[in-house]
Amino acid sequence: MNRRIIAPVIGIVVFLGLWELIVRATDVRPFILRAPSRIVSYLLDNAGDYARAAWVTGIHALGGLLIALVVALVVGSLMAASSFLEHATQPVLILLQVTPFVAYIASVVLWLGSGTPPVLFITGLVCMPAFAFATVDGMRGADPAARELLASVDASRWEVLWRLRLPSSLPSLFTAARYNVGLALIAAYLVEGGNFANEGLGNIGRRAAALNEGDALWAAVFAMALLGTLFLLLISVIQRMALHWHVSQRPPRPNWG
Amino acid sequence: MVADSSIVEFLHSRAMSRIVVRDLTKVYGDLPVIDPLSLTIEPGSFVSIIGPSGCGKTTLMRIVAGLEPASSGMVQLDDATPAEARSRKRVAMVPQQPGLLPWRTVHANARLLLDVNTAANPPDATDPMALLEEVGLGDFLDAYPHELSGGMQQRVALVRALALHAPLLVMDEPFAALDEITRAEMRVILARLVEGRGATVLFITHSISEAVALSDRVLVSSTRPSRMMADIAVDLPRPRSADVEDDPRFVALCADVRHALQAGRA
Ligand SMILES: Nc1ncnc2c1ncn2[C@@H]1O[C@H](COP(=O)(O)OP(=O)(O)O)[C@@H](O)[C@H]1O
Ligand SMILES: [Mg+2]
């Protein structure tokens, strides 16, 4: 079978195996570290609840990522078009990236109400800067020969954007997407937890933490990890289709020295 | 008198361009790149400009193509300024780097210039498929640039320019990055493609034999700032094949160009 699937599976099995071994070999107490087998069996016993919650969190994260992407394409195009706008926007984007968004979850929930809107808002907000920077980089990196060529037949700004600059930014956008997956899931999880809507893995996690239910909390963590893996897989598949022309998608050639 | 404007347009787009340059100069900051330059290039002729690296050849080409303003003087392509000619898609360019879009197939790359600013396309614009077959890329229509050799990529770039049916073709050292054998092949392909097409060709190179083998006229530039040291007419018979290089007149003309280049360095 495909090495790209076997290798990660082996990696995870070895990691969980070591973890299990340490828990069994030592006398560590479960509230410090519990065995993965115990977490997995709790997860399986409550599979229905977790699947429903994971679906909600997955949709939240995906929605936030898409909103971030769309906003970032507009912001990034403007930044790439004008260095004044770029310099004016940069500090704000950095600010968004470094601010611990946990600090303003409560305010946003009060402002937008409970449920999906604050989750999408914050997830979109924190994922937007990486996409915007990637857009700017990709557009700036567009082949100068191709730019000159399009200029030589008086292609419009819009045509240059659509035919050259946007496709040129696809590789960096995919890199940003991989980075943003983790951010989007964590943002969705935390805002769900700070919400009154009682849905999503974040909500399960928050209640479990409040009630000191370690198994339930760790099961939520495992479900998040599974979601993250699924997202990365999805991105890889889309990337393989959309970037088939890019160096990153070619099989490594043997080096004949 | 009433004329059908589409017919006028059509005749226009088929016509060959006369290039008139008068007292053209170009300065970048304090750096003079082109000294006052005047020249006329007859419609339908193939003119090479040869000169040492950095002498201002690309700058001249970009001014003619309307991509860069002149500092003073004027350039006229028939009755149009370079900027007007550019917006009417009457200048087809082959840059030094092929500039192929990696996400487009060979066929789609060859069509690129027809896919933008479509309002200015010539009424008789046709699919570049036949041209691609003519340059031996018929089996690679659906291939992507990374699957092509350097010579094949440059052939796509050539077809992409010719597909515009523009009356003026400007080429900036299009074969400079290719190996000697591929260059010789490309020379023959280019000669075959432009002969009988009627377009005016402005060809920039730093290869003496390439200039003489392809041109009706070779202009030799000095080092920067560019001055024309010599204007050498090449009256070798057409159509030209690879054998033209065995002609004793070819050898003599190459020597003339070389001497002019040496004079331009002094
Ligand atoms: N945009 C620019 N700004 C400043 N200097 C330039 C610019 N473009 C070209 N030059 C300078 O003009 C000179 C001629 O350049 P170029 O026309 O590219 O030469 P060539 O094509 O003959 O090698 C060079 O010294 C180059 O550094
Ligand atoms: Mg040059």
Side-chain angles (χ1 to χ4, degrees):
Chain A
M1 224 187 33
N2 198 327
R3 219 194 273 192
R4 284 164 92 129
I5 296 181
I6 291 179
V9 168
I10 290 178
I12 290 169
V13 168
V14 168
F15 173 72
L16 292 180
L18 281 176
W19 179 350
E20 185 82 28
L21 211 68
I22 290 170
V23 172
R24 293 196 180 201
T26 66
D27 213 9
V28 63
R29 277 177 294 172
F31 63 82
I32 293 178
L33 191 66
R34 62 196 64 219
S37 57
R38 183 170 159 182
I39 299 167
V40 170
S41 76
Y42 183 90
L43 189 58
L44 292 178
D45 289 345
N46 301 277
D49 289 346
Y50 278 94
R52 266 189 299 279
W55 175 257
V56 170
T57 305
I59 294 289
H60 281 160
L62 188 65
L65 280 171
L66 291 178
I67 291 171
L69 180 62
V70 171
V71 174
L73 285 177
V74 176
V75 171
S77 304
L78 293 173
M79 287 169 78
S82 140
S83 64
F84 177 82
L85 275 182
E86 186 191 5
H87 292 137
T89 317
Q90 242 165 15
V92 181
L93 293 181
I94 303 267
L95 201 70
L96 283 180
Q97 270 187 320
V98 301
T99 308
F101 57 86
V102 180
Y104 53 81
I105 289 177
S107 310
V108 174
V109 171
L110 283 177
W111 170 41
L112 291 177
S114 63
T116 302
V119 185
L120 291 183
F121 180 83
I122 292 183
T123 309
L125 200 65
V126 297
C127 292
M128 196 270 279
F131 278 140
F133 287 132
T135 308
V136 176
D137 277 0
M139 288 188 170
R140 288 267 159 83
D143 181 0
R147 284 197 316 234
E148 182 104 331
L149 199 72
L150 289 177
S152 80
V153 288
D154 213 20
S156 66
R157 260 173 177 250
W158 170 249
E159 283 170 327
V160 175
L161 185 73
W162 183 245
R163 304 267 186 199
L164 176 64
R165 292 195 187 270
L166 274 181
S168 297
S169 66
L170 275 181
S172 54
L173 281 174
F174 273 106
T175 308
R178 285 170 181 282
Y179 165 81
N180 267 343
V181 159
L183 203 56
L185 283 167
I186 289 178
Y189 180 94
L190 289 177
V191 185
E192 284 165 1
N195 212 324
F196 312 109
N198 293 335
E199 20 162 51
L201 289 170
N203 181 59
I204 293 182
R206 182 191 42 106
R207 274 190 307 181
L211 300 174
N212 249 326
E213 290 173 357
D215 287 342
L217 177 61
W218 277 94
V221 172
F222 271 37
M224 286 289 287
L226 277 174
L227 258 186
T229 312
L230 219 64
F231 266 67
L232 286 180
L233 211 69
L234 185 72
I235 289 178
S236 292
V237 171
I238 300 173
Q239 187 172 16
R240 197 108 45 98
M241 291 188 297
L243 285 189
H244 61 91
W245 48 269
H246 192 251
V247 270
S248 65
Q249 301 305 308
R250 277 169 232 160
R253 287 196 192 173
N255 186 357
W256 304 106
Chain B
M1 222 180 75
V2 182
D4 184 328
S5 71
S6 70
I7 290 179
V8 173
E9 270 297 311
F10 174 77
L11 292 173
H12 222 137
S13 75
R14 301 307 312 192
M16 318 168 260
S17 274
R18 178 195 308 275
I19 309 175
V20 178
V21 177
R22 200 168 301 144
D23 303 323
L24 175 74
T25 67
K26 181 68 188 181
V27 186
Y28 282 118
D30 302 332
L31 186 78
V33 179
I34 298 174
D35 260 6
L37 172 73
S38 295
L39 61 94
T40 301
I41 293 176
E42 293 304 320
S45 61
F46 192 122
V47 175
S48 288
I49 296 181
I50 188 167
S53 198
C55 74
K57 306 182 294 293
T58 298
T59 306
L60 175 61
M61 190 207 78
R62 296 186 70 241
I63 293 172
V64 170
L67 294 168
E68 181 83 51
S71 298
S72 71
M74 64 129 225
V75 177
Q76 193 86 19
L77 308 177
D78 295 329
D79 53 350
T81 65
E84 287 162 356
R86 181 170 77 101
S87 64
R88 288 190 236 154
K89 293 177 98 166
R90 289 175 58 191
V91 184
M93 198 170 84
V94 183
Q96 181 164 349
Q97 300 302 322
L100 301 181
L101 302 183
W103 52 87
R104 283 187 166 231
T105 61
V106 163
H107 185 218
N109 261 296
R111 234 180 20 226
L112 176 69
L113 298 182
L114 293 170
D115 283 349
V116 295
N117 189 8
T118 48
N121 276 349
D124 58 338
T126 48
D127 193 277
M129 186 100 74
L131 275 169
L132 284 169
E133 271 159 18
E134 207 178 325
V135 300
L137 290 172
D139 292 337
F140 293 89
L141 296 180
D142 297 323
Y144 285 87
H146 71 85
E147 299 167 291
L148 307 181
S149 69
M152 291 159 94
Q153 294 188 11
Q154 210 42 282
R155 272 182 267 165
V156 180
L158 208 57
V159 170
R160 182 183 58 196
L162 292 172
L164 267 187
H165 291 282
L168 174 60
L169 196 58
V170 293
M171 305 196 223
D172 189 7
E173 307 193 32
F175 311 144
L178 304 178
D179 62 86
E180 195 58 37
I181 297 170
T182 312
R183 284 180 84 126
E185 269 170 37
M186 293 299 295
R187 221 176 266 182
V188 175
I189 290 174
L190 177 60
R192 197 180 65 224
L193 283 177
V194 298
E195 271 166 15
R197 256 184 172 262
T200 307
V201 185
L202 186 60
F203 185 84
I204 287 166
T205 179
H206 55 220
S207 160
I208 296 175
S209 54
E210 197 168 275
V212 174
L214 287 166
S215 312
D216 299 311
R217 199 175 150 197
V218 180
L219 299 171
V220 183
S221 165
S222 67
T223 50
R224 198 190 68 230
S226 175
R227 276 170 299 119
M228 289 309 159
M229 301 302 295
D231 183 346
I232 296 168
V234 179
D235 50 2
L236 297 167
R238 288 194 183 273
R240 304 235 176 114
S241 67
D243 296 337
V244 72
E245 303 191 17
D246 302 329
D247 193 315
R249 281 176 296 172
F250 177 88
V251 179
L253 284 162
C254 284
D256 289 350
V257 174
R258 198 170 58 247
H259 295 147
L261 274 171
Q262 278 158 1
R265 278 177 199 284

